[in-house]
């Protein structure tokens, strides 16, 4: 599932992949430990980390949540001054660097794919965007949608 919006309660861009629980686990995982999750934070604070439920080392069979972290600002000395996404794009435009921009033929194919869906949504009187208050987490319907699919939006 994907969630996007403007004027939400926080400014961030990230990708979260939540894994299903392992079938037939030999260890009992407490309810306080969430499913394993891979998080790619694009902004702010660029990083990649994985939250995992793992067995505590030793003779115990206790499970705890652990993290595997990689923060860009800490990983390389020269990454202390990572430019904002728009700064990077403007610099690329000024330098004539086109590799991060979509080509004309890609744009045409994208419009071919999405135009029919957009027209169908515009013509269906039963489809209306759900509004939400400025500075909130977004529409309540997003939470209901996630619940219908046995999921939830992360609070982290």
């Amino acid at each position: 599932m994907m969630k996007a919006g403007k004027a939400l309660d926080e400014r961030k861009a990230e990708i979260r992949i939540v894994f299903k629980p392992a079938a037939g686990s030999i260890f009992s995982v407490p309810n306080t430990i969430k499913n394993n999750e891979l998080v790619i934070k694009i902004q702010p604070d660029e990083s990649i980390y994985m939250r995992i439920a793992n067995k505590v080392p030793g003779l115990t069979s206790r499970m705890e949540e652990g993290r595997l972290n990689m923060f860009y600002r800490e990983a390389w000395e020269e990454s202390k001054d990572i430019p904002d996404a728009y700064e990077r794009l403007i610099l690329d435009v000024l330098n004539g660097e086109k590799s991060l921009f979509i080509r004309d033929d890609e744009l045409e194919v994208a419009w071919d794919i999405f135009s029919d869906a957009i027209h169908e949504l515009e013509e269906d009187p039963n489809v209306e965007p759900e509004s939400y208050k400025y500075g909130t987490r977004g529409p309540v319907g997003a939470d209901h949608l996630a619940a219908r699919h046995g999921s939830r939006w992360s609070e982290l």
Side-chain angles (χ1 to χ4, degrees), residues 6 10-15 39-48 72-73 82-89:
K6 293 288 185 183
E10 57 185 321
R11 179 182 169 265
K12 68 178 174 180
E14 64 185 18
I15 300 166
V39 180
I40 303 168
K41 289 185 75 172
I42 299 162
Q43 67 176 355
D45 303 323
E46 295 84 352
S47 60
I48 300 171
Y72 284 91
R73 292 194 192 282
I82 296 174
D84 187 52
Y86 289 112
E87 289 178 74
R88 181 77 237 171
L89 284 175

Side-chain angles (χ1 to χ4, degrees), residues 20-21 52 101 107 120 126 135-136:
K20 292 181 179 179
I52 55 173
F101 295 90
L107 183 60
E120 190 174 318
N126 298 321
T136 64

Side-chain angles (χ1 to χ4, degrees), residues 2 18 29 43 56 58 73-74 82 85 98 100 106 115 129 132 136 139 150:
M2 184 180 107
V18 180
V29 180
Q43 67 176 355
V56 174
R73 292 194 192 282
E74 296 172 8
I82 296 174
K98 300 176 184 177
L100 297 177
E106 291 176 294
S115 289
Y132 56 92
T136 64

Side-chain angles (χ1 to χ4, degrees), residues 2-93:
M2 184 180 107
K3 182 179 182 182
K6 293 288 185 183
L8 297 173
D9 58 344
E10 57 185 321
R11 179 182 169 265
K12 68 178 174 180
E14 64 185 18
I15 300 166
R16 289 179 172 270
I17 301 169
V18 180
F19 297 92
K20 292 181 179 179
S25 175
I26 59 173
F27 299 105
S28 115
V29 180
N31 290 339
T32 56
I33 297 178
K34 300 174 182 156
N35 292 356
N36 293 345
E37 180 177 43
L38 175 64
V39 180
I40 303 168
K41 289 185 75 172
I42 299 162
Q43 67 176 355
D45 303 323
E46 295 84 352
S47 60
I48 300 171
Y49 64 89
M50 182 143 188
R51 285 188 10 220
I52 55 173
N54 56 296
K55 182 188 146 325
V56 174
L59 300 176
T60 180
S61 60
R62 191 174 84 245
M63 299 289 288
E64 286 186 8
E65 182 179 293
R67 282 195 179 201
L68 305 173
N69 298 320
M70 202 280 284
F71 297 98
Y72 284 91
R73 292 194 192 282
E74 296 172 8
W76 296 280
E77 184 61 35
E78 57 273 2
S79 66
K80 300 291 185 229
D81 296 319
I82 296 174
D84 187 52
Y86 289 112
E87 289 178 74
R88 181 77 237 171
L89 284 175
I90 291 168
L91 182 62
D92 286 345
V93 167

